Amino acid sequence: NQSYGDYDDNWRAYLNPNIVGIWKAHKNIIFVNAAGNDGTLLDPGNVKGIENVIFVGATDQSGNITSWSNRPGKNYKDQFIVAPGDFISGGFANSDADYGHMSGTSMAAPIVTGAIAILHDHWGHLKGNPKATAGILFQSAIDKGAPGVDAVYGHGILNIRGMFEPIPIVD
């Protein structure tokens, strides 16, 4: 689970080459990356060879992508999913009893990471197979936005129950 971003000289979100290098060097690991909170494209480029990365956008309480969540655009829509990320309850660092609510793709990405942990616990053979793992997440997602994979929601909304249900084969 990764939750950090970088900006180019024009203050546009982009995928830092150092991070991309790590993703490429560890092809047998699935990386879950928070898409960012700028309300823009995740990255205007088109980085190749990072199929082991899932980018995560944030939805609000109604299941709609938030205005501030970055979107995949056409270049990363096939690696993108959304999960709840607005007004998420969590622990703060001030004390053991300090809780509050936070919003951001940094709140949505751990939900996807947790879903992957559940999936890997149930089907251990998926560990070390990012393509199969991502395929289950993406095929079981609830379609949102334009029909099919789109430039706003990617594959749609994470569907943990759906990960464990039969996925229909469509010609």
Side-chain angles (χ1 to χ4, degrees):
N1 185 74
Q2 301 174 310
S3 180
Y4 43 78
D6 207 348
Y7 300 90
D8 64 16
D9 293 337
N10 297 316
W11 286 99
R12 289 182 302 212
Y14 89 114
L15 301 178
N16 184 298
N18 295 325
I19 296 168
V20 171
I22 291 169
W23 295 337
K24 288 182 176 185
H26 300 283
K27 289 292 195 178
N28 63 331
I29 296 174
I30 191 160
F31 292 92
V32 178
N33 189 266
N37 306 315
D38 302 304
T40 185
L41 287 180
L42 167 67
D43 180 282
N46 191 8
V47 178
K48 300 291 186 198
I50 57 169
E51 292 78 19
N52 56 326
V53 180
I54 295 174
F55 297 106
V56 182
T59 61
D60 61 20
Q61 312 286 313
S62 300
N64 297 313
I65 196 163
T66 63
S67 62
W68 41 260
S69 178
N70 286 358
R71 285 135 172 84
K74 63 180 171 111
N75 293 333
Y76 301 103
K77 67 183 184 179
D78 293 319
Q79 294 172 254
F80 197 87
I81 197 165
V82 294
D86 190 31
F87 204 66
I88 303 297
S89 177
F92 284 17
N94 293 329
S95 74
D96 290 343
D98 191 16
Y99 290 87
H101 294 91
M102 298 172 274
S103 296
T105 59
S106 295
M107 302 297 102
I111 294 172
V112 173
T113 301
I116 291 171
I118 294 167
L119 192 64
H120 284 178
D121 184 58
H122 190 74
W123 286 305
H125 68 278
L126 291 173
K127 293 176 184 174
N129 191 338
K131 183 177 180 179
T133 300
I136 291 170
L137 259 68
F138 295 152
Q139 289 296 317
S140 62
I142 299 167
D143 194 24
K144 186 80 175 170
V149 181
D150 66 73
V152 175
Y153 289 91
H155 289 273
I157 300 173
L158 176 69
N159 180 6
I160 295 173
R161 176 189 278 165
M163 294 183 331
F164 296 95
E165 294 175 350
I167 297 172
I169 298 172
V170 179
D171 285 336

